[in-house]
Amino acid sequence: MTDTLKEVLRKHHVPLINSLDTKRYLAVLLDKEFFTEDEENDILQQQSASKKAEMFLEILQTKSIDACECFMQEVTSKEPSLGQLLQKDLLVAGLGTPQKQPVQNDDRFVLQETTVSSSMPSPVQVSSDTASFSAHFESAAYQRDLKALPDFLDSQLDEMVPALNICGGDKTALVDTSVPEVLRKIPPSCTVHQVVSLLEGSQVGRSDVAENLRMSLSQPSLKKRKAALKYDPDMHIDQLDWSTKNALIQKLSVNQSSGHDWRQLAAILLRDIQLKGMSITNLIDTWDQPEKFKTPFREVLNEWQCSSDATVGKLYQVLLENGFGKAAEHLE
């Protein structure tokens, strides 16, 4: 398997571990002789579902490109939201095949190839929450921090589509449930305030999208924000002043139902360092116990700061590029 394919799997390590039906995919790959029976036994002997998934992915990364492509096809077929995330990153990396989707054309449906844009248009300023959402969204739609967020779930779309009259209230008309594509379908009659309020509400529960949407629509571009860092980017994280570090810890220690929280950051920050005999998944499972760890992001930073690469600049970059813009403000 190429390094690029491995990187795509590592990037989505947490959602894969949390949602993977290991037995289903193992059966397919075993049938095609990509996995052996001994490997199957080793995987199924693991005590928890997350550990089974973790071992499965570790072994998959030692297999051929054909094995990986078979897995990707199965994920796309069985779990479309997760499959779309994987396929997008493969397309950006120059791998994979553009998917075809129906597009309206002269009252007929034709097939059109979709590609992933690598450019990030500069966002515009939103003067008021009463402004039309669609009038401002287009120039900000493909910012990386929005593309990186998990796709909308069916239950979330059940609330959003009729409330915002997306696609005329017809959820089946959505051929792509990624965050930018769903938001793109919001009609001009909806205001910024309506959209953000609905996203933050308990029925939709996508505060991660709302937060990043605010940043995309009203904050300076990513390039300009990187220039706003008030600390020496090469300063090691353990030298960061207590008040700033504590503010980051409090902000990022709150669990989000989407998984866009400290767990995602742990998977990113800790993936390239030597852990103390434990996998990232085991560490996350250990820290994800509120009765024992009130501020799990503190544990992430404590583990990460053992690395020479654990600099303020690196943390700032990771926060900006993965949709944690509000937390990054503490470093500006």
Side-chain angles (χ1 to χ4, degrees):
M1 184 181 298
T2 66
D3 290 340
T4 301
L5 287 171
K6 289 181 180 179
E7 183 60 29
V8 170
L9 291 177
R10 290 193 193 105
K11 178 178 179 181
H12 300 289
H13 184 81
V14 171
L16 280 170
I17 292 294
N18 290 338
S19 64
L20 206 62
D21 184 345
T22 304
K23 289 184 179 180
R24 172 197 292 170
Y25 297 110
L26 185 56
V28 173
L29 293 173
L30 186 66
D31 182 61
K32 296 181 181 296
E33 299 184 348
F34 290 125
F35 274 59
T36 67
E37 291 184 0
D38 287 343
E39 289 169 336
E40 178 189 31
N41 291 333
D42 289 342
I43 292 169
L44 296 181
Q45 284 176 3
Q46 301 301 307
Q47 294 181 348
S48 67
S50 63
K51 289 182 179 179
K52 287 183 176 69
E54 182 177 21
M55 177 171 282
F56 171 80
L57 291 173
E58 287 177 356
I59 295 175
L60 178 63
Q61 292 181 46
T62 68
K63 301 296 181 178
S64 65
I65 293 177
D66 289 341
C68 182
E69 289 180 346
C70 177
F71 170 69
M72 296 287 193
Q73 290 171 2
E74 285 297 312
V75 172
T76 302
S77 172
K78 306 297 190 217
E79 301 179 62
S81 296
L82 185 54
Q84 286 170 8
L85 285 176
L86 297 174
Q87 291 293 343
K88 280 183 182 180
D89 283 338
L90 288 175
L91 285 172
V92 170
L95 302 172
T97 304
Q99 298 178 347
K100 293 178 181 291
Q101 63 179 10
V103 179
Q104 187 75 40
N105 183 19
D106 295 332
D107 298 325
R108 299 186 305 274
F109 278 100
V110 298
L111 289 177
Q112 173 176 307
E113 288 192 345
T114 60
T115 58
V116 178
S117 170
S118 60
S119 60
M120 295 190 299
S122 299
V124 296
Q125 296 295 322
V126 176
S127 58
S128 170
D129 278 352
T130 61
S132 170
F133 177 82
S134 63
H136 295 282
F137 178 71
E138 187 63 28
S139 65
Y142 279 105
Q143 284 207 38
R144 183 173 177 179
D145 53 353
L146 287 175
K147 288 170 63 181
L149 298 179
D151 289 4
F152 286 109
L153 302 175
D154 280 345
S155 59
Q156 295 165 345
L157 293 175
D158 286 340
E159 298 294 333
M160 292 178 62
V161 170
L164 299 175
N165 197 32
I166 297 172
C167 295
D170 181 9
K171 188 181 73 169
T172 62
L174 284 170
V175 295
D176 186 343
T177 58
S178 66
V179 171
E181 288 304 316
V182 172
L183 297 183
R184 176 192 291 278
K185 301 294 184 182
I186 294 175
S189 58
C190 295
T191 67
V192 173
H193 176 71
Q194 284 177 303
V195 176
V196 172
S197 296
L198 183 66
L199 290 168
E200 289 180 324
S202 59
Q203 291 182 314
V204 175
R206 289 304 298 268
S207 59
D208 59 326
V209 179
E211 178 178 327
N212 285 280
L213 187 58
R214 285 196 183 98
M215 183 179 71
S216 297
L217 291 173
S218 63
Q219 296 295 325
S221 68
L222 190 63
K223 184 176 181 180
K224 289 182 179 179
R225 286 201 68 178
K226 286 183 177 179
L229 179 63
K230 67 180 179 182
Y231 296 93
D232 178 355
D234 295 325
M235 184 176 76
H236 197 273
I237 197 70
D238 64 3
Q239 296 178 340
L240 189 63
D241 61 271
W242 180 88
S243 60
T244 299
K245 184 182 291 187
N246 190 59
L248 284 169
I249 289 169
Q250 297 300 324
K251 176 72 175 178
L252 295 168
S253 288
V254 180
N255 281 27
Q256 302 292 339
S257 59
S258 64
H260 184 70
D261 51 37
W262 65 270
R263 292 167 293 184
Q264 181 179 348
L265 289 172
I268 295 169
L269 296 173
L270 304 182
R271 65 188 173 193
D272 294 325
I273 70 172
Q274 186 66 39
L275 302 176
K276 301 170 183 176
M278 296 182 70
S279 67
I280 294 177
T281 304
N282 285 339
L283 283 174
I284 291 175
D285 287 345
T286 299
W287 296 332
D288 197 11
Q289 302 179 62
E291 66 279 5
K292 293 183 179 179
F293 299 94
K294 302 295 185 184
T295 52
F297 190 63
R298 186 187 307 277
E299 308 304 321
V300 176
L301 287 183
N302 288 342
E303 196 71 39
W304 183 52
Q305 70 183 13
C306 298
S307 168
S308 59
D309 189 41
T311 63
V312 173
K314 175 69 173 180
L315 177 61
Y316 187 59
Q317 178 181 353
V318 168
L319 291 175
L320 285 183
E321 293 184 351
N322 290 278
F324 296 91
K326 284 292 184 180
E329 291 178 0
H330 292 291
L331 299 171
E332 298 175 346

Coordinates of all heavy atoms in Angstrom, one line a residue, residues 26-37 39 63-64 67 70:
L26 N -14.1 -7.9 6.9 CA -13.2 -9.0 7.0 C -13.6 -10.1 6.1 O -12.8 -10.8 5.4 CB -13.0 -9.4 8.4 CG -11.9 -10.5 8.7 CD1 -10.6 -10.0 8.2 CD2 -11.9 -10.7 10.2
A27 N -14.9 -10.4 6.2 CA -15.5 -11.5 5.4 C -15.3 -11.3 3.9 O -14.9 -12.2 3.1 CB -17.0 -11.7 5.7
V28 N -15.5 -10.0 3.4 CA -15.3 -9.7 2.0 C -13.8 -9.9 1.6 O -13.5 -10.5 0.6 CB -15.8 -8.3 1.7 CG1 -15.4 -7.9 0.3 CG2 -17.3 -8.2 2.0
L29 N -12.9 -9.3 2.4 CA -11.5 -9.4 2.1 C -10.9 -10.8 2.2 O -10.0 -11.2 1.5 CB -10.7 -8.4 2.9 CG -11.0 -6.9 2.7 CD1 -10.3 -6.1 3.7 CD2 -10.6 -6.5 1.3
L30 N -11.5 -11.6 3.1 CA -11.1 -13.0 3.3 C -11.6 -13.8 2.0 O -10.8 -14.6 1.5 CB -11.7 -13.6 4.5 CG -11.2 -15.0 4.9 CD1 -9.8 -15.0 5.3 CD2 -12.0 -15.5 6.1
D31 N -12.8 -13.5 1.6 CA -13.3 -14.2 0.4 C -12.5 -14.0 -0.8 O -12.4 -14.8 -1.7 CB -14.8 -13.8 0.2 CG -15.4 -14.5 -0.9 OD1 -15.5 -15.8 -0.9 OD2 -15.8 -13.9 -1.9
K32 N -11.9 -12.8 -0.9 CA -11.1 -12.4 -2.1 C -9.6 -12.7 -1.9 O -8.8 -12.3 -2.6 CB -11.3 -10.9 -2.4 CG -12.7 -10.5 -2.8 CD -12.8 -9.1 -3.1 CE -14.3 -8.7 -3.5 NZ -14.7 -9.4 -4.8
E33 N -9.4 -13.4 -0.7 CA -8.0 -13.9 -0.4 C -7.0 -12.7 -0.2 O -5.8 -12.9 -0.4 CB -7.5 -14.8 -1.5 CG -8.4 -16.1 -1.6 CD -7.8 -17.1 -2.6 OE1 -6.9 -16.7 -3.4 OE2 -8.3 -18.2 -2.7
F34 N -7.5 -11.6 0.3 CA -6.6 -10.5 0.6 C -6.1 -10.7 2.1 O -5.1 -10.2 2.5 CB -7.3 -9.1 0.5 CG -7.5 -8.7 -0.9 CD1 -8.8 -8.4 -1.4 CD2 -6.5 -8.7 -1.8 CE1 -9.0 -8.0 -2.7 CE2 -6.7 -8.3 -3.1 CZ -7.9 -7.9 -3.6
F35 N -7.0 -11.3 2.9 CA -6.7 -11.6 4.3 C -6.6 -13.2 4.4 O -7.2 -13.9 3.7 CB -7.7 -11.1 5.3 CG -7.5 -9.7 5.7 CD1 -7.4 -8.7 4.7 CD2 -7.3 -9.3 7.0 CE1 -7.2 -7.3 5.1 CE2 -7.1 -8.0 7.4 CZ -7.1 -7.0 6.5
T36 N -5.8 -13.6 5.4 CA -5.7 -15.1 5.7 C -6.6 -15.4 6.9 O -7.0 -14.6 7.6 CB -4.3 -15.5 6.0 OG1 -3.9 -14.9 7.3 CG2 -3.3 -15.0 4.9
E37 N -6.9 -16.7 7.0 CA -7.7 -17.2 8.2 C -7.0 -16.9 9.5 O -7.6 -16.7 10.5 CB -8.0 -18.7 8.0 CG -8.9 -19.0 6.8 CD -9.3 -20.5 6.8 OE1 -8.8 -21.2 7.6 OE2 -10.1 -20.8 5.9
E39 N -5.1 -14.4 10.1 CA -5.3 -13.0 10.4 C -6.7 -12.7 10.9 O -6.9 -11.9 11.8 CB -5.0 -12.1 9.2 CG -3.5 -12.1 8.8 CD -3.2 -11.5 7.4 OE1 -4.1 -11.6 6.6 OE2 -2.1 -11.0 7.2
K63 N -1.2 -4.6 3.3 CA -1.7 -5.3 2.1 C -1.5 -4.5 0.8 O -1.0 -3.4 0.8 CB -3.2 -5.6 2.3 CG -3.5 -6.5 3.5 CD -2.9 -7.9 3.4 CE -3.2 -8.7 4.6 NZ -2.6 -10.1 4.5
S64 N -1.9 -5.1 -0.3 CA -1.7 -4.5 -1.6 C -2.7 -3.4 -1.8 O -3.7 -3.2 -1.1 CB -1.9 -5.6 -2.7 OG -3.2 -6.0 -2.7
A67 N -6.2 -4.6 -2.3 CA -6.9 -4.9 -1.1 C -7.5 -3.6 -0.5 O -8.7 -3.6 -0.1 CB -6.0 -5.5 0.0
C70 N -10.5 -2.5 -2.7 CA -11.6 -3.4 -2.4 C -12.3 -2.9 -1.1 O -13.6 -2.8 -1.0 CB -11.2 -4.8 -2.2 SG -12.5 -6.0 -1.7

